[in-house]
Structures are given as C-alpha cells and as structure tokens.
C-alpha cells in the first residue's frame, strides 16, 4: 500500500467523512479547526522573539493564509511555459485586462492576482506567474514554483503537445499534491477532429497527474476571423473580425471546484504551510537550545576540570566529578524542556559512563592512576598530574554532556541503536586531541592564577 501523503492526511482531517455533509452541531468544521490551529501558532507565547524575527516572512504568510481562509478565498495559480497565453487566459477568465499581455518572452516578471469578477461570492482568486522557461530567468522560475506552492489549485497552460520541460514541471507540481487542471490554449488553431485527437493524446500523457475531465481546451485570444465582403461594384474586401474568448468550460470547472471544495483546498494548503513553519520553529528553537546547552557543558567542563585537578584525596575527586556530571545533566534537561530528577540524571550518567568505559578503558585507567598519584606525590601532583587529569575530566564531561544532549533531543529515548551506538557516535565526532589541549591550557592557567 502506498505511503499516505501529508496532503491526504490533512484532507482526511479536514473532511473526515464524505458521507457526512456537515459536521455535528457542536463540532467545528475542518476549515475552522485549521484556522484555530493557525491562530494558535501565530499567538504561541513559547516561541522566542528571535525565532519570530528570523521567520517573520513565514509568519506573515501564515497570517495572510488565515485571512484568506476566513474570507473563503480559493487561490488559483496560472502556470506554464513562456508565450502559451497564461496572462491572456487570466484576463479572459476575468473578463477584463487585469494582467499584462505582450508578444515578447517574459512579459510577466512578477506574480499578480485579481479577484474573478463573476465569482466574487465564491472567492476565486487568480495568480498570474512568470514563464517557466524564460531565458536566464531562474529567479522567475523559482518564483513561479513558489506561487504555485502557496496556491490551492494550479491551472497549467499549454498550447500543443507537452514538451519534456513542461511534463517535468507538471510532475514537480503534482508532487506538491495540489489539484491540477491542464488547459490547452489556442484551441482555435485546430480543426474539430485534430483537437479531439490532441486532447485524447494529452489525457494519456498526463494520466496519473491530471484527471481526464480536468484536461480542457480553451482559446484565450482567438485569431480574428477573416471575412470577405463584396461591395456594390463587385470588388472584394477582406476584413478581420475579433472573436470572443472561449473559456467557458474552464470557468465553469473552476467555479464548480470553488463552490464544492474551495474551503477544503484552502484549509489543507494553509495546514501544510503551518506544519512546515512549525518544523522550522522547532528547528530554530532546538538550535537556540543547543547553543545554551553548549555554554552550559563548557562551564561544567571548567568546574569539573579544576575540581578534579585541585582535589588532593584519591578517588574522592572522581566521586565529586560524578556529582557534577549529574548536576549538569539535570540542568541540560531543563534547557530542553524535559526535566529529569536527580536520581534519573544519576542513572543516565551511569549508563553513559559505562558505555564510555567500554569504549575508552585505557583513558579511565589513566584517570584512576592519576588520582592515586595525588596521595603519594606530596603536593607535586598539581604540577605533574593535575592538569592532565583535569583535562581528562574535562573531556569526559564533554562526552557525557553531548551524549545526554542527544538523549534529550530524541525525547528521552536512545532510539533503536541504544546508548552504545549513541555514545560511540559522540566519541567519533569529537576531536579528542583538540579538546584535551584546550582543557590543559585552561586548567593550567587557572591553577597558576590560584597559586599566585
């Protein structure tokens, strides 16, 4: 069975049962629930101001989506290759010249939108986009995809059989799970049989991307009709008569979609963006917490390194170090919003330390030897062993802190690989020589300042 897409899950949430025309009296509709979730995201007091500032554009977009959801608007992107008549089609649907139309490539250089006059009560909004194959127009192509992404429905405009570039773009758009309509523009260039054959061919090529009933022929700016008139003297005169656009089938299809499921599509699209913004916010907050956690671990490294170096009692320095590690893990758990008790912290430190001992037995053996030397070196150990032992304590704190951080970031779970894999990954990711050198230099500096 194919994996359910986020769009499908949201659609099931917004419209939980198609047999139920309206929700129960006391139960909010799907679009109302989405609107409530958007407001909750916009008003969330736990989001730091710095994160809001960094993602200001995304928050503004969610606010705009909430406004249009409350207004019941359905945003439709008119998309396609340069010179297929996208802007002309938008104007024909509107019945007025809202979009710029030109004969040169790249006339549309920015996105624009206008309310469809005949459908204001349905809130149908058209968005014109730049051509996707504009020469040196990568920025405009990106803009076109961005506009399609924030639209609820896409009308892809072609003027013949699809090129490879057009088909690839259509596949990309289909992957966004937006409903797609394919409009074959300039249909007036074909005879009836030729047009029928071309539509059948297009429906076959886009099968699985666009429903057959959503492949429609239009003529946004039909070529003028040539009329031959004979005057009273028998002379023939040729004149051209403009023809009205033929977009009725597409307009009716859009209006039907807007009336039947416009709010559903708008709610789903808004929900998708809210989900992405929530992920971005979570990532930024996690990044912020990581910087705070890094400072916390560094401070405990200094405290432990100096405490181990100065403690003259064998083995007691190691016990004191274990207490500092447990206190550090408690503080880390508060930084990540997953508080641990002192007992839980101690058990976590024990698990991590056991894995470290299995991986780095030689280093911990050196730690015990250095501790024992303090009892027989008549104070000279401060110079001979304290800095080295303190540096090893510093390094152990870094390892324990990073491993505990990984445990907390994972939601207080080691994951499938367990603590052994997590600790091994942390050990492999750190430059031990660099950390030990930094630790020794810092501890020696502090020891010398204390002796002075």
């Amino acid at each position: 069975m194919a994996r359910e897409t986020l769009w499908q899950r949201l659609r099931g949430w917004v419209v939980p049962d198609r047999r139920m025309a309206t929700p129960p009296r006391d139960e909010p509709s799907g679009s109302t629930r989405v609107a409530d979730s958007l407001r909750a995201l916009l008003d969330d007091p736990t989001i730091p101001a710095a994160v809001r500032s960094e993602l200001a554009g995304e928050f503004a977009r969610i606010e705009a989506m909430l406004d249009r959801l409350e207004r019941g608007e359905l945003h439709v992107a008119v998309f396609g290759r340069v010179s297929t008549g996208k802007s002309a089609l938008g104007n024909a649907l509107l019945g007025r010249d809202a979009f710029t139309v030109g004969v040169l490539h790249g006339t549309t250089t920015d996105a624009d939108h206008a309310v469809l006059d005949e459908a204001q009560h349905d809130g149908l909004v058209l968005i014109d986009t730049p051509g996707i194959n504009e020469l040196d127009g990568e920025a405009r192509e990106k803009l076109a995809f961005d506009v399609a992404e924030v639209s609820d429905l896409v009308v892809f405009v072609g003027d013949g059989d699809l090129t490879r570039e057009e088909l690839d773009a259509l596949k990309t758009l289909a992957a966004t799970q937006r409903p797609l309509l394919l409009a074959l523009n300039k249909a007036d260039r074909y005879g009836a049989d030729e047009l029928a054959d071309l539509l059948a061919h297009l429906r076959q090529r886009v099968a699985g991307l666009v429903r057959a009933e959503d492949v429609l022929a239009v003529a946004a700016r039909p070529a003028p009709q040539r009329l031959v008139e004979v005057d009273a003297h028998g002379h023939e005169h040729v004149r051209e008569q403009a023809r009205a656009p033929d977009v009725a089938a597409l307009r009716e299809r859009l209006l039907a979609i807007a009336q039947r499921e416009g709010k559903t599509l708008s709610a789903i699209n808004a929900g998708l963006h809210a989900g992405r913004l929530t992920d971005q916010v979570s990532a930024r907050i996690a990044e912020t917490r990581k910087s705070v956690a890094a400072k916390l671990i560094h401070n405990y490294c200094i405290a432990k390194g100096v405490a181990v170096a100065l403690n003259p009692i064998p083995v007691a320095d190691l016990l004191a170090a274990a207490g500092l590690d447990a206190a550090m893990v408690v503080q880390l758990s508060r930084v990540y919003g997953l508080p641990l008790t002192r007992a839980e912290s101690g058990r976590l430190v024990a698990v991590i330390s056991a894995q470290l001992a299995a991986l780095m037995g030689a280093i911990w053996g050196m730690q015990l030897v250095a501790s024992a030397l303090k009892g027989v070196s008549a104070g000279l150990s401060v110079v001979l062993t304290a800095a080295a032992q303190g540096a090893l304590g510093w390094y152990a704190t870094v390892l324990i802190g990073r491993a505990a951080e990984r445990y907390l970031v994972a939601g207080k779970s080691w994951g499938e690989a367990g603590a052994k894999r997590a600790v091994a990954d942390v050990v492999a990711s750190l430059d031990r020589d660099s950390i030990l050198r930094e630790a020794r230099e810092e501890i020696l500096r502090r020891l010398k300042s204390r002796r002075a």
Side-chain angles (χ1 to χ4, degrees), residues 269-290:
N269 197 27
L272 287 171
H273 276 275
R276 281 193 287 270
L277 178 57
T278 299
D279 291 343
Q280 288 178 290
V281 168
S282 299
R284 296 300 194 284
I285 292 176
E287 196 62 37
T288 301
R289 288 174 176 171
K290 280 190 174 183

Side-chain angles (χ1 to χ4, degrees), residues 96-145:
R96 58 191 174 88
D97 292 335
F99 305 119
T100 302
V101 177
V103 296
L104 297 179
H105 282 189
T107 297
T108 304
T109 57
D110 200 352
D112 197 3
H113 67 276
V115 178
L116 187 61
D117 291 339
E118 296 86 350
Q120 285 193 17
H121 61 285
D122 289 317
L124 196 61
V125 176
L126 295 182
I127 301 175
D128 192 20
T129 66
I132 60 173
N133 63 328
E134 175 62 39
L135 184 64
D136 296 327
E138 292 183 5
R140 276 182 271 184
E141 184 171 343
K142 180 180 182 302
L143 174 63
F145 277 96

Side-chain angles (χ1 to χ4, degrees), residues 161-181:
D161 193 8
L162 295 178
T163 65
R164 171 54 58 186
E165 183 180 45
E166 288 175 307
L167 191 57
D168 289 343
L170 199 61
K171 290 176 180 178
T172 300
L173 289 169
T176 69
Q177 301 297 319
R178 300 297 181 280
L180 295 172
L181 281 74

Side-chain angles (χ1 to χ4, degrees), residues 95-243:
R96 58 191 174 88
D97 292 335
F99 305 119
T100 302
V101 177
V103 296
L104 297 179
H105 282 189
T107 297
T108 304
T109 57
D110 200 352
D112 197 3
H113 67 276
V115 178
L116 187 61
D117 291 339
E118 296 86 350
Q120 285 193 17
H121 61 285
D122 289 317
L124 196 61
V125 176
L126 295 182
I127 301 175
D128 192 20
T129 66
I132 60 173
N133 63 328
E134 175 62 39
L135 184 64
D136 296 327
E138 292 183 5
R140 276 182 271 184
E141 184 171 343
K142 180 180 182 302
L143 174 63
F145 277 96
D146 289 344
V147 171
E149 185 180 339
V150 299
S151 299
D152 308 311
L153 183 148
V154 178
V155 175
F156 194 100
V157 185
D159 59 2
D161 193 8
L162 295 178
T163 65
R164 171 54 58 186
E165 183 180 45
E166 288 175 307
L167 191 57
D168 289 343
L170 199 61
K171 290 176 180 178
T172 300
L173 289 169
T176 69
Q177 301 297 319
R178 300 297 181 280
L180 295 172
L181 281 74
L182 176 58
L184 172 61
N185 195 18
K186 306 178 184 178
D188 56 296
R189 300 186 304 184
Y190 305 99
D193 293 341
E194 189 180 11
L195 179 60
D197 290 342
L198 180 54
L199 285 173
H201 175 71
L202 286 173
R203 288 172 180 136
Q204 184 177 9
R205 289 201 71 189
V206 301
L209 303 175
V210 183
R211 293 180 296 185
E213 61 269 29
D214 290 334
V215 179
L216 304 164
V218 296
R221 295 181 71 187
Q225 185 177 9
R226 292 174 60 87
L227 299 175
V228 178
E229 297 177 343
V230 180
D231 62 20
H233 302 289
H235 297 142
E236 292 184 353
H237 301 277
V238 179
R239 69 179 180 88
E240 293 185 342
Q241 179 176 300
R243 289 191 287 177

